Amino acid sequence: MSTANAAPKTAMQRFLDGVERVGNMVPHPVVIFLILIAIVIVLSAILSMFGAAVSFERINAETHEIETATTEIRSLLNIDGIRFLYASLIPNFMSFTAVGLMIAAMIGAGVAEESGLVTALIRKLVIVSPPWALTYILAFVGIIASVAADAGYLVLIPLAGIAYLAVGRHPLAGLALGFAAVAGAFTVNMLIKPLDAVLVEFTNDAAHLVDPNRSIGLASNVWFSIASVLFLTIVIAFISDRMIEPRLGAYKPEQSGDGAVSDQSAELSEKESRGLRFALFALIGLIAVFCLLTLPAWAPLRNPETGELIGNSPFMNGLIALIMLIFLVTGWSYGIGAGTMRTLTEVIGAIEKSIKNLGGTIFLFFVLSQFVAYFTYTNMGTVMALSLSGALQAANIGALPLLLGFIVVVAIIDLLLTGAIAKWAIFAPVFVPLLMKLGVEPEAVLAAYRVGDSPMNAITPLNAYFALVVGFAQKYDKSAGVGTIVSLMLPYVAWMFVLWTALFAVWKAMGLPWGL
């Protein structure tokens, strides 16, 4: 198309072009954290030179009496600081347990994804959906597909378009529904996923700045996450049926571009169906084994002293092992049934492939571990949190308004910095200690972060999969572009953000438990 014939850009398209240009100037997350490390080093020396410190009251762990303590900024450029910088490089990384948790989870998830289990399971759920419930089931499956994010983007979204087209509905509405579910609710799930391990670890590191004995577990947000999944399923489905599809109207096949009919059939082959049966049998067997290990009073995975199962018990402390085994056992069983992964050598190959794909993440974690360790060493997080909490307490703002403001800040930043891990590594050391000083539990701060971090993923062009969704849309409408996707996703983003934030506020106000 010539420039003369090109339609002028709308204000929204010009705005998005500007966001994309600014976003493209944002450096790689590793570079961001290297800059932050340099800032922490220089700032620690300056603040230490001026004697920055804060006094506060705390409970003595031995006498249980209230005592006054003082925390000073420690410089990283004096003799002790330089020694720490040099000697702690490897210990910082080795003690960064998020690396081990992520690798353990990906051992199982890699087998499940490589064998085809995740893809087949999503397709099966789409097939068995009755027409009246299709929207709700697709929304639900899209949200829980974040347990294997790539499969959600690459499988669920195009299948949602196929499913809508198959029942005579507009395929772009199906694509929009799938994108809103996969991206807009990415940080919550009915299951514990690898991302949870990293977010929880960062939260604990930040909480230890205030209370070294305060930690949360992998299931610390499980009740709020489950409620959010069910709530957002209804919200996304309602928006799709009442706003998006009526606006699109009836689908006209002549609008489609080349390749409108996907090569990927929604139907399962006999081998795939047999693989799913094998996976189901394996899951039942694994559940039976863990019932023996957890339910009896003498079960080895109960707390040996109190006998409790939920809370401080071997079962909860090693929950990542159960997650790994579920994916590993069911993935391999599916592979045997479907003929995609029969031998142990093939299983090992799938694990190696998934671990290789973590190379960039592991390097990012190496840099992150240094930033967290240096920030902790300087006491900057503690001093900052105590100073801010004192000012906020004097202003009587209240914890809930501050949490709601935090959600808004996270959402705005997510337009330019989409990585959930990178943002939380920056926010956690500041906001977790700050809000803990105001009496807010770290579980609530993490839940607030989940709300703020997700919805904007469906509207920012900086989402790595945004261009992919535009490509999916062009199969059904050759004129579709960035503006098309943004106009489809705006109602989802706006209503999900407002209503989900309201759910969080009600949850907090009622004092409901965030998780286990």
Side-chain angles (χ1 to χ4, degrees):
M1 182 180 294
S2 64
T3 305
N5 294 330
K9 291 185 177 182
T10 65
M12 176 59 71
Q13 289 173 327
R14 290 195 298 272
F15 169 74
L16 290 171
D17 288 345
V19 171
E20 188 171 6
R21 284 194 297 272
V22 172
N24 287 337
M25 292 188 290
V26 175
H28 191 281
V30 170
V31 178
I32 292 176
F33 281 100
L34 288 174
I35 294 172
L36 289 174
I37 288 173
I39 292 174
V40 167
I41 293 174
V42 174
L43 196 57
S44 70
I46 296 174
L47 293 176
S48 177
M49 184 185 304
F50 285 96
V54 63
S55 297
F56 60 99
E57 292 184 342
R58 68 180 181 186
I59 298 176
N60 188 299
E62 297 180 358
T63 65
H64 301 288
E65 295 181 354
I66 297 178
E67 63 181 16
T68 300
T70 300
T71 297
E72 300 177 346
I73 297 293
R74 301 169 68 186
S75 174
L76 284 166
L77 290 180
N78 58 18
I79 294 177
D80 290 336
I82 293 173
R83 287 171 179 166
F84 177 79
L85 288 172
Y86 178 78
S88 68
L89 191 70
I90 301 304
N92 292 342
F93 184 58
M94 297 300 292
S95 62
F96 200 63
T97 56
V99 178
L101 292 171
M102 175 68 79
I103 292 176
M106 289 307 298
I107 287 174
V111 174
E113 187 169 357
E114 189 68 16
S115 68
L117 171 62
V118 176
T119 300
L121 188 58
I122 292 175
R123 291 166 60 195
K124 180 66 175 180
L125 289 172
V126 171
I127 292 170
V128 300
S129 304
W132 66 267
L134 180 63
T135 302
Y136 292 88
I137 293 178
L138 284 173
F140 177 76
V141 174
I143 295 174
I144 64 173
S146 64
V147 75
D150 288 345
Y153 282 104
L154 301 176
V155 178
L156 189 281
I157 295 176
L159 277 177
I162 295 172
Y164 261 49
L165 185 61
V167 296
R169 302 171 68 175
H170 204 298
L172 287 186
L175 292 177
L177 164 67
F179 191 27
V182 174
F186 183 78
T187 53
V188 291
N189 207 293
M190 303 285 280
L191 306 171
I192 305 296
K193 56 184 183 177
L195 176 65
D196 294 321
V198 180
L199 297 182
V200 166
E201 184 64 23
F202 286 171
T203 305
N204 285 331
D205 288 340
H208 294 163
L209 295 173
V210 175
D211 184 355
N213 299 317
R214 183 69 166 93
S215 297
I216 64 175
L218 283 176
S220 57
N221 276 169
V222 67
W223 299 134
F224 180 71
S225 291
I226 291 174
S228 296
V229 170
L230 298 176
F231 179 74
L232 292 176
T233 295
I234 297 173
V235 171
I236 292 172
F238 182 86
I239 294 172
S240 296
D241 289 341
R242 300 299 180 90
M243 299 182 186
I244 304 302
E245 199 165 7
R247 173 177 172 267
L248 290 171
Y251 178 59
K252 299 177 182 179
E254 61 269 19
Q255 295 176 335
S256 65
D258 295 335
V261 179
S262 174
D263 295 333
Q264 183 178 19
S265 173
E267 294 295 329
L268 293 177
S269 67
E270 177 56 34
K271 289 184 177 180
E272 290 172 322
S273 297
R274 184 171 62 249
L276 288 179
R277 289 195 297 271
F278 277 42
L280 177 60
F281 296 150
L283 179 61
I284 293 173
L286 186 62
I287 291 174
V289 171
F290 269 85
C291 284
L292 291 175
L293 294 173
T294 56
L295 296 183
W298 48 263
L301 296 186
R302 288 182 175 272
N303 187 301
E305 298 179 358
T306 65
E308 66 178 359
L309 178 62
I310 304 300
N312 184 21
S313 67
F315 174 71
M316 294 302 298
N317 293 336
L319 195 58
I320 194 70
L322 174 60
I323 298 170
M324 179 188 72
L325 287 173
I326 288 175
F327 284 116
L328 180 62
V329 172
T330 57
W332 190 5
S333 298
Y334 173 87
I336 293 173
T340 58
M341 188 180 294
R342 291 191 174 93
T343 67
L344 182 59
T345 301
E346 292 174 314
V347 173
I348 294 173
I351 294 173
E352 290 176 344
K353 181 179 178 180
S354 66
I355 300 301
K356 288 177 182 177
N357 292 335
L358 289 177
T361 302
I362 292 174
F363 177 56
L364 173 61
F365 280 1
F366 178 80
V367 178
L368 280 174
S369 67
Q370 309 308 318
F371 169 75
V372 171
Y374 299 161
F375 193 80
T376 302
Y377 175 86
T378 62
N379 290 327
M380 290 173 60
T382 303
V383 171
M384 185 184 304
L386 291 170
S387 301
L388 288 175
S389 64
L392 290 172
Q393 285 174 334
N396 292 320
I397 294 177
L400 182 56
L402 186 57
L403 281 168
L404 297 180
F406 173 62
I407 291 174
V408 173
V409 170
V410 173
I412 293 173
I413 296 299
D414 192 50
L415 287 171
L416 298 177
L417 184 61
T418 58
I421 294 174
K423 284 198 303 296
W424 191 229
I426 296 172
F427 285 135
V430 176
F431 284 96
V432 173
L434 167 62
L435 287 160
M436 284 180 66
K437 286 293 296 178
L438 294 175
V440 178
E441 61 272 37
E443 295 92 333
V445 188
L446 179 56
Y449 179 73
R450 294 180 190 274
V451 175
D453 180 66
S454 294
M456 295 299 176
N457 291 333
I459 200 173
T460 172
L462 301 181
N463 184 335
Y465 293 97
F466 190 92
L468 183 68
V469 177
V470 173
F472 289 151
Q474 289 174 343
K475 292 183 178 181
Y476 300 106
D477 185 350
K478 55 181 177 291
S479 63
V482 171
T484 304
I485 302 303
V486 171
S487 65
L488 289 173
M489 303 315 298
L490 269 174
Y492 290 109
V493 171
W495 284 107
M496 287 175 67
F497 181 77
V498 171
L499 296 177
W500 198 3
T501 301
L503 174 66
F504 173 86
V506 171
W507 197 284
K508 174 63 179 172
M510 295 180 64
L512 297 176
W514 301 100
L516 298 175

